[in-house]
Amino acid sequence: MVRKFFGTDGIRGRTNAGVMTAATAMRVGQAAGRHFLRGEHRHRVVIGKDTRLSGYMMESALVAGFTSVGMDVTMTGPLPTPAIALLTREMRADLGVMISASHNPFEDNGIKLFGPDGFKLSDDDELAIEALIEAEQPLAPAAMVGRARRIEDARGRYIHAVKQAVPSDVRFDGLKVVVDCANGAAYQVAPSAIWELGAEVVTLGVDPNGTNINDGVGSTALDAVKDAVVREGADIGIALDGDADRLIVVDEKGQTVDGDQLMALIATRLAEEGTLAGGGVVATVMSNLGLERYLAGQGLTLERTKVGDRHVLARMREGGFNVGGEQSGHMILLDHATTGDGTVAALQVLASLVQSGKPASELLHMFEPVPQLLRNVRYDDGAPLADERVKACIADAEAELMGKGRLVIRASGTEPLIRVMAEGDDAQQVERVVERVCAAVSEAA
């Protein structure tokens, strides 16, 4: 079945256009509600959101959809995506919904769904909901219409939960930490959790106004946190994205530490403690070859999946792994969360920093990355990767890199972009290959 609504991470698009309208959101609520009306108990859905202006509109529409089919709604207000996954499970809800477009600009929004176990929905569930969205759903009798309420202690519940990821004898006293929340969902909870564990916290991106989410701050715009770390003489910088399910770190010198390095750090520490499950790490095809070589040197494996944290998570659950993620900063630590959680990952990194006694620049750069280049080619319509000229160019590039590196070409699941990535030991060769493929894609597009 061709997907019209669900992409690689829920439903996402430009506000008031395409699939991201109030009318569609209401139908999503009705469809998802009907799909999860199972059993005789009173059914409940937990709805959270980030700080986008359109979140109010989408929240109201979803509430209307869910209540109209007889499902009660609990609203949390702005909270990270992993907090909604956590609360869905802890409140014994039938479904969780996060309204967010993650790292995208404020003009976009999205809907992410979690099952009662706190995990993102399976393909089967998404396909079933797809089929229901465009069909008329039976509405609840008047006496069975759902109720809606807001809870005031959701932030405190989440802060308490994430702090459990840190051993009880570890405190962050003496650490000065810059925390950049991207003017997004974690603007209250992430700085509070780190401060409560003893660190001195300098905040960035904690003044959301509805339109400044991810705007010059956060994990996709690192200049602000880099400048603040150096200016403040901080020990480390923590940068989250709009819904706080990903993390990028900056060391005390202002140098970037990406998800690959963080996975290497956490996996190494857990392996030393004897608590690394699965014998390695799960990451995507975009993770650096240097990570794979580093892990192999530690006697650990790197299993690769398609891009998207849901694919990483699926393989982790299937293979019994407890550490996985993406180079872009999604960190999935199944001992502590059911989805990517930037705050939990940040606390793990800070705990390692305290326990090691080393500066971040020494501790966090675990391996030397292989030269890697990623470029995006935007297109308006069509399928550039189906063009025969593009196929031929890709085949030639793969042959040139054979045994020396890797080429990964894919269409973005959230934007009209073709992502072209190559890596290898020869940086000049990598650049030539990427430029050649990008040119072919641009011409076809």
Side-chain angles (χ1 to χ4, degrees):
M1 176 180 175
V2 176
R3 291 170 176 254
K4 178 179 178 180
F5 297 95
F6 287 93
T8 56
D9 193 13
I11 303 170
R12 190 178 301 186
R14 186 57 55 100
T15 299
N16 278 342
V19 300
M20 203 45 54
T21 65
T24 300
M26 185 177 73
R27 299 189 72 87
V28 170
Q30 291 175 327
R34 291 297 308 178
H35 183 65
F36 280 91
L37 285 176
R38 305 165 180 175
E40 299 302 319
H41 63 281
R42 189 71 189 177
H43 294 79
R44 177 189 296 152
V45 56
V46 176
I47 299 180
K49 61 183 179 179
D50 64 22
T51 57
R52 292 164 209 270
L53 179 62
S54 59
Y56 295 98
M57 175 184 76
M58 303 305 290
E59 179 185 58
S60 298
L62 284 163
V63 169
F66 282 115
T67 55
S68 72
V69 296
M71 187 171 275
D72 292 338
V73 176
T74 298
M75 294 169 285
T76 70
L79 272 185
T81 289
I84 303 309
L86 169 77
L87 290 170
T88 298
R89 184 176 57 181
E90 290 201 344
M91 296 182 70
R92 309 297 193 270
D94 300 275
L95 184 64
V97 180
M98 179 65 183
I99 304 167
S100 176
S102 189
H103 59 281
N104 287 26
F106 88 92
E107 294 92 344
D108 294 345
N109 216 330
I111 301 171
K112 301 180 183 183
L113 301 177
F114 295 93
D117 57 0
F119 288 97
K120 290 182 179 178
L121 299 189
S122 67
D123 287 337
D124 289 343
D125 280 327
E126 288 188 349
L127 289 172
I129 293 170
E130 280 256 358
L132 294 173
I133 290 174
E134 293 188 295
E136 288 297 325
Q137 299 306 313
L139 302 180
M144 298 301 292
V145 167
R147 299 175 183 271
R149 61 180 291 229
R150 293 189 180 274
I151 56 173
E152 303 301 328
D153 63 344
R155 291 195 300 270
R157 293 190 192 195
Y158 177 66
I159 291 170
H160 174 76
V162 297
K163 289 195 302 182
Q164 306 312 302
V166 178
S168 58
D169 62 340
V170 174
R171 291 184 54 87
F172 299 159
D173 300 87
L175 282 185
K176 188 173 186 179
V177 184
V178 175
V179 182
D180 182 349
C181 298
N183 290 318
Y187 78 101
Q188 293 172 313
V189 293
S192 294
I194 294 170
W195 174 80
E196 287 184 17
L197 288 168
E200 178 185 352
V201 175
V202 178
T203 55
L204 291 175
V206 292
D207 298 299
N209 62 13
T211 62
N212 62 359
I213 188 171
N214 301 314
D215 185 9
V217 286
S219 63
T220 55
L222 294 172
D223 286 348
V225 68
K226 288 180 177 181
D227 290 346
V229 167
V230 174
R231 181 179 67 252
E232 296 284 344
D235 298 289
I236 193 170
I238 301 297
L240 305 170
D241 68 335
D243 68 336
D245 64 354
R246 70 171 71 186
L247 164 74
I248 297 293
V249 170
V250 173
D251 69 23
E252 83 280 4
K253 297 180 180 179
Q255 300 300 307
T256 301
V257 182
D258 66 15
D260 285 346
Q261 299 284 358
L262 299 180
M263 282 187 282
L265 170 72
I266 294 171
T268 299
R269 181 169 62 81
L270 294 186
E272 291 172 350
E273 296 173 354
T275 57
L276 181 68
V281 170
V282 180
T284 75
V285 293
M286 302 301 286
S287 277
N288 195 277
L289 186 59
L291 172 61
E292 186 171 345
R293 292 173 177 175
Y294 168 80
L295 291 173
Q298 304 297 309
L300 304 174
T301 62
L302 176 66
E303 294 208 18
R304 294 184 184 271
T305 72
K306 293 190 294 184
V307 170
D309 63 323
R310 67 196 306 265
H311 300 298
V312 173
L313 180 58
R315 178 60 193 134
M316 289 176 68
R317 297 180 73 185
E318 178 187 3
F321 296 85
N322 60 348
V323 176
E326 297 186 275
Q327 185 185 71
S328 60
H330 280 116
M331 294 288 111
I332 304 175
L333 305 176
L334 279 184
D335 292 340
H336 307 291
T338 57
T339 189
D341 193 325
T343 306
V344 164
L347 296 182
Q348 292 288 302
V349 171
L350 293 174
S352 295
L353 196 63
V354 169
Q355 291 169 322
S356 72
K358 298 177 181 179
S361 58
E362 182 179 342
L363 176 69
L364 302 182
H365 298 278
M366 304 292 292
F367 63 88
E368 189 65 34
V370 168
Q372 186 183 77
L373 183 60
L374 169 65
R375 288 188 181 161
N376 298 320
V377 182
R378 185 170 292 275
Y379 64 97
D380 294 325
D381 200 4
L385 296 184
D387 189 284
E388 292 302 322
R389 296 165 296 177
V390 174
K391 290 181 179 179
C393 183
I394 291 173
D396 289 344
E398 288 175 334
E400 183 177 339
L401 288 173
M402 186 70 69
K404 305 172 187 175
R406 298 188 308 128
L407 178 68
V408 179
I409 315 290
R410 68 180 186 91
S412 168
T414 57
E415 301 175 84
L417 298 173
I418 302 298
R419 304 195 191 279
V420 181
M421 189 277 282
E423 63 179 352
D425 294 315
D426 185 338
Q428 291 183 333
Q429 181 185 46
V430 166
E431 185 171 3
R432 287 197 307 270
V433 164
V434 170
E435 287 182 350
R436 197 161 69 241
V437 174
C438 285
V441 172
S442 294
E443 184 176 348

